[in-house]
Amino acid sequence: EDLGKMTYTTMCIKESLRLFTSVPFVFRYLSKPITFPDGRSLPAGCQVGLNFFALHRNRDIWQDPEIYDPLRFSPENSAQRHSHAFLSFSAGSRNCIGQQFAMIEMKVALALTLLRFELCPNPSKPPTPVAQITLRSSNGIHLHLKKIH
Ligand code: HEM
């Protein structure tokens, strides 16, 4: 029952996925030629890489993209954006079939953590993002946890 009421938490998770999208790239093999709205085209047989990490930090789409602002995902602000501006779960016929489950899992994990702990970043050990198949930190993610009584 509570999951449907966690609207701000959902916005925070989406904003985190925007900045540190778990799947930074996907690739597609073009079985037929494609022409983009600006007139440029690619022939069949190309391997195309789509950079979601860069898309999520594109200044033409996101104002002050480096700033963490969950309110970008409020219903009013989301309504003005292109449906493909945020692609953490990809889009189209091969989008993520686990996205609803993943969102629920993240909300549960986050809620149960925040009920017990206050979290602070450790500025002396910032994570170093590396794009493998998924986005990871090469040196771990170091946080200070304070138990909430
Ligand atoms: C935060 C968690 C997750 C993220 C960010 C994520 C993201 C993605 C992305 C971007 C794709 C497209 C990959 C591509 O086109 O090459 C994808 C595909 C897929 N995801 Fe997820 N995923 C997540 C969790 C899950 C979970 C929990 C499941 C299963 C329970 C799942 C199952 C799948 C499957 C089966 C596909 C392939 C769909 C297809 O090709 O038709 N994902 N996911």
Side-chain angles (χ1 to χ4, degrees):
E1 280 172 20
D2 290 336
L3 287 170
K5 298 181 201 151
M6 294 168 62
T7 45
Y8 190 70
T9 309
T10 307
M11 284 154 55
C12 291
I13 292 172
K14 286 187 179 168
E15 178 64 344
S16 303
L17 283 173
R18 179 185 70 82
L19 278 169
F20 297 100
T21 192
S22 317
V23 180
F25 309 98
V26 300
F27 296 90
R28 292 291 183 267
Y29 173 79
L30 289 189
S31 58
K32 49 185 186 205
I34 183 171
T35 302
F36 296 99
D38 67 1
R40 289 184 288 179
S41 59
L42 288 171
C46 274
Q47 186 88 4
V48 179
L50 303 167
N51 187 336
F52 295 163
F53 187 92
L55 170 72
H56 289 179
R57 292 166 187 250
N58 184 332
R59 284 177 196 285
D60 292 340
I61 301 168
W62 303 95
Q63 199 181 349
D64 299 324
E66 309 293 329
I67 308 272
Y68 179 85
D69 177 11
L71 290 173
R72 296 177 199 275
F73 288 96
S74 69
E76 312 81 68
N77 291 338
S78 302
Q80 292 157 24
R81 230 173 7 244
H82 193 280
S83 59
H84 287 32
F86 173 69
L87 289 183
S88 280
F89 293 107
S90 192
S93 54
R94 302 304 295 263
N95 73 0
C96 176
I97 61 164
Q99 64 179 291
Q100 268 81 22
F101 174 79
M103 284 304 294
I104 289 170
E105 191 180 36
M106 286 186 283
K107 281 196 252 181
V108 170
L110 185 58
L112 294 180
T113 305
L114 294 180
L115 275 173
R116 292 164 175 77
F117 299 101
E118 200 180 299
L119 277 70
C120 295
N122 179 346
S124 68
K125 287 184 184 167
T128 305
V130 282
Q132 297 177 333
I133 288 178
T134 53
L135 188 68
R136 310 176 66 83
S137 167
S138 62
N139 58 336
I141 296 175
H142 297 268
L143 298 168
H144 293 297
L145 273 75
K146 197 171 129 194
K147 206 166 183 345
I148 297 172
H149 296 290

